[in-house]
Amino acid sequence: MTPSIILILFISYFAILFFISHAVSKNDGGNDAFFKANKDSKWYLVAFGMIGTALSGVTFISVPGEVGSPNGEQFKYFQFIIGNAIGFIIVAKLLLPLYYRMNLTSIYGYIEKRMGVYSYKTATSIFLVSRTISSAFRLYLVVIVLQRYVFDYYNIPFAITVLISLLLIFSYTYRGGLKTIIITDTLQTFFLVTSVFLTIYFICDSLDLNGIQAFNEIKESNYSKVFFFEDFLTSKYHFAKQVLGGIFVTLAMVGLDQDLMQKNLSCKNIGEAQKNMFTFTGIFVIINIFFLSVGALLYIYASKNNIAIPLDFVTNKARTDLLFPEIALNNLTILPAVIFLLGLIAATFATTDSALTALTTSFCVDFLGMDKIENSHKKNMVRTRHFIHLAFSAIIFLVIIVFNSLNDSSVVGMIFKVASYTYGPLLGLYTFGLFLKSKKVNDKLVPFICLLAPLLTYIINENSQTLLFGYVFDNELIILNTLITFLGLYAISRSTTENYQF
């Protein structure tokens, strides 16, 4: 698989996306199509397309890579997936009906009506910061693969690789926004799902295994342990920690995230939106089982063919993230390599294009009020939206450059670690608003609570073994952050007779 072939595939892929974008948005590049896809999306397209958005290149590379990591993670990630599935159901039954009753374009409009303007702007700002960072991390993972296997061959600097990727994403999203994303993400999810199944087939074929033999090989290997119940205090992998972390991370990163909820809100009604979420949940669980299986097969293949985990060029440490691309691009035939690249590109750019659209929507609606009737006929609203879209592309570029200079760990772990700090206050705000309807907060003090909570969470996490009898946090750290935020909001609240039934 030569760099030239990879580059041609990369360019051809984006040419297809650009063609689809032009066809979808040529007659409708307005704000209503960009923000809400004219409220006319088919639920089954949304459900299928959301798979690509939720999984990303992180799942595609990091999750299989972690199966055989020196930390002994194996299939522990599936415990987290169980929590994700429970979280998706809660989102469908609790949050989606609320958003539809309030007819929201931005889901943070609920906070404005429940708590006030300062709380509203705080919630929106938390999303903008959180989603920008997580999207940058996800895109970073694919860019380092492209850099290592393509652009280094042409002596193109890493920063230029990132810039080219973001400009390509901008080119097919800036006009149609969500209306375009619904279609392109459906196509990209198809590439992603197809890639997973074909990758398993090609690796099994290389190992001379049929389906039953592959299952038994994985089962008998050192990579297939799913449930971890030992050492609750000191182990990050304990079942309860992983499941609870999965539930709360999902509530925050899906239910309170403008990106994925924006797609749900583009359905015609709540019934179709819930059908979308339930269908999406089932597919999501199944696909992740296959990703973990890919990971086990990769390590079995590497062991039998004496393939070492690639080293990071900067830190000279083993990078499990790079094992999948190393085997696919340098050890299998050209067809598996092409399939891998299509899946990787589809997974990551489906996430980034969607996030970029959501970030633009949130800023335009929550800070500029573009969804308000009095602003709908103002001149240059579309041009302003284009500028905001470009600005967020530039911000993601800067975050990736900074992250590249600092990172020396698995990206999947980094994303959820950051989410525990950034999304915790957002979850605290919604929890307080939904469950303490007789309380009204001091709106002007809310931003300080939302800054203080992550700081206290960090301090407790760094000293948890001393303060909490040896306890070690993992993804459930978001629960602590949420609780601290909730208690802080309670401390600055008072009883009220106002009606907060939405």
Side-chain angles (χ1 to χ4, degrees):
M1 191 69 172
T2 66
S4 298
I5 294 176
I6 296 174
L7 187 60
I8 291 171
L9 181 65
F10 185 73
I11 293 171
S12 301
Y13 184 87
F14 272 98
I16 294 172
L17 294 183
F18 186 80
F19 173 78
I20 294 173
S21 170
H22 179 72
V24 169
S25 62
K26 65 178 180 179
N27 296 321
D28 192 357
N31 286 339
D32 196 50
F34 188 96
F35 297 148
K36 298 187 290 186
N38 298 321
K39 294 283 281 187
D40 194 33
S41 299
K42 305 299 182 185
W43 70 266
Y44 44 87
L45 291 181
V46 176
F48 192 65
M50 277 177 61
I51 296 297
T53 302
L55 291 177
S56 82
V58 172
T59 308
F60 199 86
I61 295 180
S62 275
V63 169
E66 286 195 342
V67 167
S69 74
N71 297 328
E73 301 203 8
Q74 303 183 65
F75 276 31
K76 72 93 180 172
Y77 186 69
F78 189 70
Q79 299 175 130
F80 185 74
I81 296 301
I82 294 173
N84 290 158
I86 297 171
F88 291 141
I89 294 171
I90 295 173
V91 169
K93 301 297 287 185
L94 177 65
L95 293 175
L96 273 181
L98 172 68
Y99 299 151
Y100 267 85
R101 282 197 303 271
M102 297 182 69
N103 192 29
L104 299 175
T105 299
S106 167
I107 62 174
Y108 309 114
Y110 165 76
I111 296 296
E112 180 181 28
K113 294 183 179 181
R114 174 63 179 85
M115 296 182 180
V117 174
Y118 285 92
S119 301
Y120 170 46
K121 301 301 183 186
T122 300
T124 303
S125 298
I126 291 170
F127 164 72
L128 294 176
V129 171
S130 303
R131 199 51 163 161
T132 299
I133 293 173
S134 64
S135 298
F137 285 178
R138 287 175 165 94
L139 182 59
Y140 162 79
L141 183 59
V142 166
V143 172
I144 61 173
V145 172
L146 293 173
Q147 185 68 34
R148 185 181 184 114
Y149 295 99
V150 182
F151 291 99
D152 277 344
Y153 179 81
Y154 296 104
N155 294 317
I156 296 175
F158 176 80
I160 300 301
T161 307
V162 178
L163 186 62
I164 291 171
S165 301
L166 283 167
L167 286 176
L168 287 170
I169 293 170
F170 175 85
S171 69
Y172 74 85
T173 57
Y174 82 99
R175 277 181 55 81
L178 188 61
K179 187 174 181 180
T180 298
I181 295 300
I182 296 296
I183 304 300
T184 57
D185 278 7
T186 301
L187 176 66
Q188 296 191 105
T189 299
F190 171 77
F191 285 133
L192 166 64
V193 173
T194 302
S195 177
V196 174
F197 289 110
L198 288 180
T199 296
I200 291 176
Y201 169 78
F202 287 124
I203 295 177
C204 288
D205 185 60
S206 299
L207 293 170
D208 293 323
L209 299 173
N210 59 35
I212 296 175
Q213 290 171 329
F215 174 81
N216 289 328
E217 188 84 15
I218 294 171
K219 183 181 177 182
E220 299 301 324
S221 71
N222 297 323
Y223 309 114
S224 60
K225 183 177 179 180
V226 178
F227 300 110
F228 294 73
F229 293 103
E230 54 277 349
D231 301 322
F232 174 74
L233 287 177
T234 60
S235 174
K236 292 182 178 181
Y237 304 158
H238 192 278
F239 178 81
K241 293 182 180 181
Q242 291 295 316
V243 172
L244 287 173
I247 293 172
F248 280 82
V249 166
T250 298
L251 290 175
M253 294 185 71
V254 176
L256 307 182
D257 185 286
Q258 178 65 23
D259 186 357
L260 288 168
M261 286 301 98
Q262 187 172 356
K263 290 183 172 65
N264 281 284
L265 295 177
S266 71
C267 294
K268 291 181 179 180
N269 53 57
I270 180 61
E272 292 204 351
Q274 288 179 321
K275 278 195 293 187
N276 154 54
M277 279 299 295
F278 294 140
T279 304
F280 161 75
T281 300
I283 299 173
F284 180 83
V285 171
I286 294 170
I287 289 296
N288 272 284
I289 292 173
F290 282 100
F291 270 116
L292 290 167
S293 300
V294 168
L297 289 170
L298 285 171
Y299 280 97
I300 292 170
Y301 182 91
S303 177
K304 291 186 176 182
N305 291 277
N306 296 316
I307 300 171
I309 298 175
L311 300 177
D312 188 291
F313 288 151
V314 178
T315 64
N316 204 36
K317 295 180 180 179
R319 283 291 303 266
T320 58
D321 294 332
L322 297 176
L323 181 63
F324 195 176
E326 177 67 25
I327 291 176
L329 299 178
N330 289 337
N331 292 274
L332 298 177
T333 60
I334 190 168
L335 183 56
V338 169
I339 295 298
F340 164 78
L341 270 176
L342 282 174
L344 175 63
I345 295 170
T348 297
F349 290 104
T351 301
T352 308
D353 60 20
S354 179
L356 192 56
T357 300
L359 289 166
T360 302
T361 298
S362 181
F363 191 89
C364 289
V365 171
D366 296 324
F367 283 95
L368 303 182
M370 285 190 183
D371 64 326
K372 299 185 184 303
I373 296 176
E374 60 269 26
N375 294 328
S376 60
H377 300 296
K378 287 184 178 180
K379 293 182 178 180
N380 298 325
M381 283 289 100
V382 172
R383 183 180 298 177
T384 300
R385 192 197 74 217
H386 291 168
F387 175 78
I388 299 300
H389 203 60
L390 183 61
F392 274 110
S393 300
I395 293 170
I396 291 175
F397 169 80
L398 293 174
V399 173
I400 292 175
I401 298 303
V402 171
F403 184 61
N404 183 56
S405 67
L406 300 175
N407 180 55
D408 63 353
S409 61
S410 171
V411 179
V412 68
M414 184 66 70
I415 286 177
F416 293 126
K417 183 176 181 180
V418 170
S420 295
Y421 289 105
T422 57
Y423 278 92
L426 195 57
L427 192 52
L429 283 169
Y430 275 83
T431 303
F432 183 91
L434 290 169
F435 293 103
L436 291 184
K437 296 179 180 179
S438 63
K439 293 286 186 178
K440 181 176 178 62
V441 298
N442 185 330
D443 185 38
K444 292 184 178 180
L445 294 179
V446 168
F448 298 102
I449 297 297
C450 291
L451 287 173
L452 183 61
L455 178 60
L456 291 176
T457 301
Y458 175 79
I459 293 172
I460 294 173
N461 183 45
E462 289 298 304
N463 298 279
S464 64
Q465 290 178 286
T466 302
L467 299 174
L468 302 174
F469 309 102
Y471 189 89
V472 176
F473 283 99
D474 195 51
N475 294 322
E476 84 283 6
L477 185 64
I478 194 173
I479 302 175
L480 174 64
N481 201 352
T482 301
L483 179 60
I484 293 174
T485 305
F486 183 91
L487 293 175
L489 294 173
Y490 187 85
I492 61 168
S493 67
R494 56 179 174 79
S495 297
T496 180
T497 56
E498 293 183 46
N499 184 10
Y500 290 117
Q501 300 293 330
F502 297 113

